[in-house]
Amino acid sequence: MNQIDSSTEHGIPELTDIRDLGLQELEAVVAEAGERSFRAKQLAGWLYARGADSFDAMLDLPKPFREHLKHHFRIGSAATAHVARSSDGTRKLLIRLADGEAIESVVIPSREMEMTPAGEKLNQRITLCMSSQAGCAMACEFCATARMGLHRNLGVGEIVSQVFLARHELDADEHLTNYVFMGMGEPLANYQRLVKALIIMTSEWGMGISPRRITVSTVGIVPMMERLLAEVPVRIAVSLHATTNELRNRLAPINKRYPLEALLDACARLPLKQRERITFEYVMLRGVNDSPDDARRLVKLLAPIRGKVNLIFFNVFEGSGFAGSPRAAVEDFQAILRKGNLTATIRESRGLDIAAACGQLYAEQAAADREPHPAQ
Ligand code: SAH
């Protein structure tokens, strides 16, 4: 292959993103360079614990090794192109990938009351909503990302780099406390790379994040759910949205492949930790899935499962064809679930003024809109 074939359109040689690599592969890199094996953990520490973005910063690595790394790899292959800040503190990052694709990640600060033996404590929580794919193939009818179709899967480095890019946007007294794969894409449709990214995020040699602070949200790719929990003990959330196959086939067409019975059966069998529950997400669509009958059916369906329900206000976008249920209907629905002994919370929409709320991520459009005005 000649020089031009291996270059990007900008003439920069296409190097592998070293953040695509887990510890074993870093060990192989170290061995190939003729370095001692302990260098692999040292390198992982720079890449994942400290989030270094240049090899030159890795001063305790021998210079020839750093030169070797520079020659073969780059660090990260994504950059923040634009940040929109909501009046509620939510920040939406438009992230440009090396090949020009774009994804979005959202930083969501919130406060929650915690009951401790010493009384009530106000906790500051900062959640990072992460993407797993550019676009999505799942075609859920009420979701803006679905309108893009699937552009491509994200690489491991592109998944984990979202954390480092998000940290750059935090104020000095802020730090990320929770991570949710509820951005663009269906995480379990990019399974291998997701798991590798989760291992980097949760390993002690990697980012050292507790897996209990990571939630993977799925539309219900049944065979991958059990496998995921066997590999990394993260939390799982299931986007349910309907209580009959007829309606779910329409709202989330993957239901034709994995119908409600199969999905709920798999949920009932998932190995959960003590006191852990599966979150079922339920977007409240006016006149579609928000009747008292729907609520009663939901109580019945979830009775055999250790689950809780998170009711989500529908976030409208142009051409969506749906309207959200009014607050009173959402509260009535919640009351029926609670009467049926089902824990049910209402998720308030965040970042609405910057179109950063659930289901509003549409980077294709966002990218196109900003083309004539590159980030300052
Ligand atoms: N593909 C995964 C994760 C991405 S979607 C999944 O389906 O779970 C994250 C959550 O946002 C899902 O529960 C999804 O149903 C919800 N969502 C999608 N579009 C929405 C919209 N317009 N308003 C509110 N929530 C939406």
Side-chain angles (χ1 to χ4, degrees), residues 109-128:
S110 60
R111 284 175 198 285
E112 57 163 31
M113 238 7 146
E114 192 195 349
M115 294 298 287
T116 67
E120 284 184 347
K121 205 176 112 204
L122 195 61
N123 280 336
Q124 166 83 344
R125 185 197 270 224
I126 302 186
T127 303
L128 176 63

Side-chain angles (χ1 to χ4, degrees), residues 27-98:
E27 279 164 355
V29 167
V30 163
E32 204 163 294
E35 288 292 335
R36 312 246 314 268
S37 60
F38 73 93
R39 298 285 183 206
K41 276 205 174 153
Q42 228 177 340
L43 180 55
W46 279 110
L47 292 173
Y48 299 124
R50 301 198 226 186
D53 47 24
S54 93
F55 291 114
D56 288 327
M58 305 178 183
L59 285 173
D60 54 2
L61 296 182
K63 186 130 195 279
F65 181 43
R66 278 187 268 145
E67 291 303 320
H68 171 89
L69 292 173
K70 263 198 238 173
H71 199 71
H72 290 91
F73 299 100
R74 58 180 160 174
I75 305 179
S77 42
T80 303
H82 187 266
V83 182
R85 206 179 167 111
S86 163
S87 52
D88 68 15
T90 301
R91 275 142 272 179
K92 180 169 75 168
L93 284 66
L94 175 69
I95 295 172
R96 178 85 59 197
L97 308 178

Side-chain angles (χ1 to χ4, degrees), residues 153-362:
N153 283 318
L154 298 191
V156 176
E158 291 170 336
I159 298 176
V160 301
S161 288
Q162 292 171 64
V163 176
F164 301 110
L165 294 174
R167 283 183 186 160
H168 280 302
E169 304 306 326
L170 299 178
D171 298 340
D173 59 342
E174 292 181 320
H175 66 275
L176 298 173
T177 60
N178 295 74
Y179 304 80
V180 298
F181 282 89
M182 294 184 187
M184 299 169 70
E186 167 51 44
L188 298 189
N190 186 14
Y191 184 81
Q192 302 288 357
R193 296 182 192 86
L194 175 83
V195 166
K196 207 166 153 190
L198 290 173
I199 288 171
I200 290 172
M201 289 173 73
T202 57
S203 293
E204 146 279 316
W205 54 260
M207 296 163 76
I209 297 167
S210 162
R212 320 303 306 277
R213 293 188 170 274
I214 302 176
T215 301
V216 172
S217 177
T218 177
V219 70
I221 316 278
V222 167
M224 298 303 168
M225 291 165 48
E226 202 171 344
R227 254 181 84 181
L228 174 69
L229 291 194
E231 297 198 69
V232 207
V234 291
R235 291 178 187 274
I236 209 156
V238 174
S239 292
L240 196 64
H241 313 315
T243 55
T244 65
N245 280 319
E246 193 194 353
L247 180 61
R248 198 163 190 274
N249 284 346
R250 189 188 129 202
L251 296 180
I254 194 73
N255 193 69
K256 293 179 203 154
R257 186 122 131 243
Y258 305 113
L260 275 176
E261 300 73 28
L263 175 59
L264 296 175
D265 196 47
C267 290
R269 284 185 286 106
L270 282 181
L272 301 180
K273 298 255 153 42
Q274 235 188 350
R275 287 201 304 270
E276 190 185 330
R277 283 178 296 180
I278 305 171
T279 299
F280 290 92
E281 295 156 280
Y282 196 99
V283 177
M284 296 292 288
L285 302 168
R286 182 186 225 151
V288 175
N289 66 355
D290 62 349
S291 72
D293 277 349
D294 285 300
R296 284 187 280 268
R297 269 196 300 272
L298 193 52
V299 168
K300 270 210 193 120
L301 283 177
L302 298 188
I305 299 173
R306 266 168 51 198
K308 58 183 173 192
V309 176
N310 198 350
L311 299 172
I312 308 177
F313 283 108
F314 173 64
N315 297 312
V316 73
F317 57 92
E318 216 179 293
S320 69
F322 290 96
S325 311
R327 182 171 290 271
V330 177
E331 285 172 359
D332 290 349
F333 198 93
Q334 180 189 35
I336 298 176
L337 300 185
R338 287 189 166 165
K339 241 173 75 192
N341 280 324
L342 197 52
T343 306
T345 49
I346 297 177
R347 187 193 292 169
E348 301 293 337
S349 293
R350 303 293 310 276
L352 269 179
D353 52 344
I354 53 166
C358 289
Q360 292 188 324
L361 303 185
Y362 188 77

Side-chain angles (χ1 to χ4, degrees), residues 15-32:
L15 297 175
T16 304
D17 181 357
I18 197 166
R19 286 207 190 112
D20 279 339
L21 308 187
L23 186 60
Q24 276 184 355
E25 289 155 308
L26 292 178
E27 279 164 355
V29 167
V30 163
E32 204 163 294

